[in-house]
Amino acid sequence: MSKARSRPADLLPPDAGRDGPLFAVSAILVFLACLCALGAVGAWTAASGWTAQLSDQITIQVLSEDDRDIAADAADAGERVARLPGVESVEVRPREASERLLEPWLGRGGLPDDFPVPRVIAVRIDPAAPPLTAAVEGVFEEAGYTVLVDDHQRWAGAVAQAAATVRYFALALVALLGLAAAAVVAFAARASLAARWDVADALHLVGAPDGFITSLFQRRFFLLGLKAGLTGAFAAALAAAGLAFAGGAAGALFFLPSLELGWGAAFIPPAAAILSGLVAAIAARSAVSAALARRWS
Amino acid sequence: MPARDDTRRDAPRFETGPAVRFESVGMRYGRGPEILRDVSFELPRGSFQFLTGPSGAGKSSLLKLIYLAERPSRGLISLFGRDTALTDAKSLPAIRRRIGVVFQEFKLLNHLTVFENVALPLRVAGQPRRAYAEDVAELLAWVGLGERMDAYPPTLSGGEQQRASIARAVVGQPEILIADEPTGNVDPAMARRLLRLFAELNKLGTTVLIASHDVGLVRSMDAPVMELADGRLAAGARAA
């Protein structure tokens, strides 16, 4: 059968010389964008976890005072606070637990028995209906000993703010990388058109509207962007999985977002690949449309 | 010549006026000197006309104005009764599809086969391949390229490329056919055959304008002649 009767040929010839480098640059940009987005999600997930942990706990310190039995005071404080509505559990921690908390400052062991070490009471509260801090403090008004109530809100706020900063910074990086990708593709599309004016002119003169010519470049760059995006996104998913595994195995990411990503993050790489194709298509369409308008205006 | 459906898809149903009308048209490239000066003529629908003149007289520039590849620097051009300066830019491709052009430099696309090149206007017009495959093959056979339809332009001789270019110009059954030196690269027998093709298209109602400096070609047909000299239509030239 004659080739003439088979599938129509592509009206744009392949740009083998230019497609390779553009593919590599696009794939790298998508890789970096994916890592940023995954980092943002990881930071957000971790911060949400920390905030949740802080917001369903209250810590009460019973301070040591002369002529008072701090163990009895701590037990009394535990009983008082346990009666409050919204309190789920109360744990009066022993002196050893307080000493362990002081180890970074005072060293391990060797504290004299009469050293005034406060006792810590960990109170787990109902996050849906927590007792007011003022109500907790109120039950100790006539207790005869001194307590400090910490509802962790100061820390929870700081953690949430830090997580939001990390997230917005990562999103800004993703946007910047997207802009860079669009600029690169627009440049490549203009170069591709400049190399193939013969095709554009021939199509124009046989009556092809600008939209027809533009759509040829748009389709080519969409497919190139999509393939590069899939490659970059796959590499980023592998890298993120590796980081998560390394962090989980060795605890190497103690102070960094721990990349506890959740299932929602699984959509990021495919979404990034599709977005890469769309950005490439839009950038190519815009660049080629402008060039055609300039040439034939 | 292959028999084909005479339906003209892009033609509005009611139009008045000549196929082409120039009125005091001037043209220059950029800030250069005027290539065409005060050119006025009409091509009635269904006419057959030659355009002659020495090299550099402005023949190709005049043709470019007709097939809307360039715009005049002054004057009025109307195609099918419509002032091109007042025509919406989005309507221009549809007008171009009503005009077939045989380019002097062929303008074939080297990465497409002869078949694909010839079918290009139909493909651009949105026709499905199955609708035109037979017609294109038949037309290619008629211009002597039936055995070369899968070949690529760089492998064709100059004459073969010219014939492919002519086939592409006529495949969409244009209402105006413009040919710029269409027989410059073919032997006399093929030249006569191609002229017969143009004449048959003209009989079907196509307005034909052939630019040529081949005196023998021009004299071989009893058709009006416009002569361009130094950017002006020479006085006494016959118009249709």
Side-chain angles (χ1 to χ4, degrees):
Chain A
M1 184 179 174
S2 166
K3 278 190 288 183
R5 314 297 171 87
S6 58
R7 190 177 65 85
D10 281 340
L11 291 178
L12 273 185
D15 273 348
R18 276 179 291 273
D19 284 358
L22 179 61
F23 180 90
V25 169
S26 300
I28 290 168
L29 288 173
V30 171
F31 173 77
L32 294 174
C34 267
L35 282 189
C36 283
L38 289 169
V41 170
W44 189 253
T45 307
S48 298
W50 295 336
T51 308
Q53 282 178 1
L54 290 173
S55 62
D56 67 359
Q57 279 190 0
I58 289 177
T59 304
I60 298 170
Q61 289 184 59
V62 179
L63 301 184
S64 176
E65 294 177 43
D66 291 342
D67 305 328
R68 288 197 69 90
D69 180 358
I70 191 167
D73 289 348
D76 177 67
E79 285 171 15
R80 284 171 183 263
V81 81
R83 289 195 289 269
L84 275 174
V87 171
E88 292 185 340
S89 67
V90 174
E91 182 191 353
V92 180
R93 294 191 173 157
R95 176 185 166 95
E96 290 73 28
S98 300
E99 287 182 355
R100 276 200 298 277
L101 292 173
L102 293 172
E103 276 176 7
W105 292 273
L106 302 180
R108 178 172 295 185
L111 283 180
D113 291 341
D114 59 348
F115 189 86
V117 177
R119 291 293 181 86
V120 173
I121 302 171
V123 182
R124 187 165 296 279
I125 58 176
D126 178 4
L132 295 174
T133 305
V136 177
E137 288 170 342
V139 301
F140 299 111
E141 275 178 3
E142 295 176 1
Y145 49 85
T146 306
V147 299
L148 296 175
V149 179
D150 184 0
D151 61 3
H152 307 304
Q153 287 310 300
R154 190 159 59 94
W155 299 108
V159 168
Q161 194 174 9
T165 303
V166 168
R167 186 171 65 154
Y168 291 131
F169 184 70
L171 288 178
L173 278 180
V174 169
L176 271 179
L177 289 167
L179 280 176
V184 167
V185 170
F187 180 78
R190 274 197 289 271
S192 179
L193 179 62
R196 300 318 319 212
W197 271 121
D198 58 332
V199 178
D201 280 340
L203 291 169
H204 179 72
L205 292 174
V206 298
D210 285 1
F212 181 94
I213 300 168
T214 304
S215 67
L216 299 176
F217 287 89
Q218 181 181 310
R219 182 173 178 275
R220 158 162 300 177
F221 281 94
F222 172 74
L223 290 175
L224 193 145
L226 185 64
K227 288 177 191 168
L230 284 170
T231 305
F234 181 70
L238 282 182
L243 277 174
F245 177 77
L253 303 177
F254 178 71
F255 274 116
L256 294 175
S258 60
L259 283 177
E260 293 166 4
L261 295 170
W263 288 107
F267 291 104
I268 287 178
I274 293 169
L275 204 60
S276 162
L278 291 176
V279 166
I282 292 168
R285 181 176 190 85
S286 168
V288 172
S289 291
L292 293 181
R294 274 197 301 274
R295 186 173 180 95
W296 293 317
S297 61
Chain B
M1 181 189 169
R4 299 193 306 277
D5 178 14
D6 199 26
T7 305
R8 283 164 171 159
R9 295 156 56 97
D10 296 315
R13 291 182 66 182
F14 303 107
E15 275 182 343
T16 57
V20 179
R21 180 165 163 246
F22 274 45
E23 199 176 307
S24 303
V25 169
M27 182 200 164
R28 66 174 81 237
Y29 291 101
R31 295 182 178 181
E34 272 201 321
I35 304 296
L36 297 173
R37 281 173 282 181
D38 295 319
V39 175
S40 300
F41 68 92
E42 276 189 13
L43 297 182
R45 290 172 195 249
S47 61
F48 194 115
Q49 184 93 32
F50 279 108
L51 175 65
T52 65
S55 292
K59 297 191 299 294
S60 295
S61 297
L62 189 149
L63 298 186
K64 283 179 183 175
L65 290 175
I66 298 177
Y67 62 76
L68 302 173
E70 296 290 345
R71 293 190 175 194
S73 46
R74 60 189 173 89
L76 178 146
I77 297 174
S78 68
L79 297 174
F80 311 110
R82 296 167 71 182
D83 182 347
T84 56
L86 301 178
T87 304
D88 178 16
K90 287 182 178 173
S91 304
L92 295 180
I95 295 177
R96 284 193 191 95
R97 286 197 289 272
R98 298 167 70 183
I99 303 171
V101 186
V102 180
F103 299 99
Q104 193 171 8
E105 65 278 24
F106 313 137
K107 289 192 184 295
L108 297 173
L109 298 179
N110 289 342
H111 66 286
L112 299 181
T113 64
V114 170
F115 179 95
E116 297 283 358
N117 268 288
V118 171
L120 200 56
L122 305 176
R123 194 168 162 188
V124 162
Q127 291 193 32
R129 191 178 184 83
R130 63 180 178 280
Y132 61 70
E134 294 298 327
D135 285 347
V136 171
E138 198 178 344
L139 178 60
L140 282 170
W142 202 87
V143 297
L145 292 174
E147 301 299 317
R148 307 299 313 270
M149 68 171 72
D150 289 335
Y152 289 88
T155 67
L156 302 181
S157 68
E160 287 173 326
Q161 290 192 40
Q162 192 145 32
R163 280 179 277 154
S165 172
I166 290 169
R168 185 181 61 185
V170 304
V171 72
Q173 303 168 45
E175 289 169 71
I176 300 175
L177 177 65
I178 295 167
D180 195 358
E181 304 289 354
T183 57
N185 291 288
V186 296
D187 59 61
M190 181 51 75
R192 284 193 297 277
R193 192 175 165 85
L194 292 175
L195 268 186
R196 215 174 82 223
L197 168 67
F198 297 152
E200 286 193 31
L201 281 168
N202 180 240
K203 282 180 192 168
L204 291 172
T206 300
T207 306
V208 178
L209 175 62
I210 298 175
S212 177
H213 61 259
D214 181 348
V215 177
L217 176 81
V218 174
R219 286 181 180 163
S220 68
M221 292 192 69
D222 183 23
V225 179
M226 291 189 295
E227 187 175 349
L228 260 182
D230 198 21
R232 293 179 189 273
L233 278 180
R238 286 192 299 148

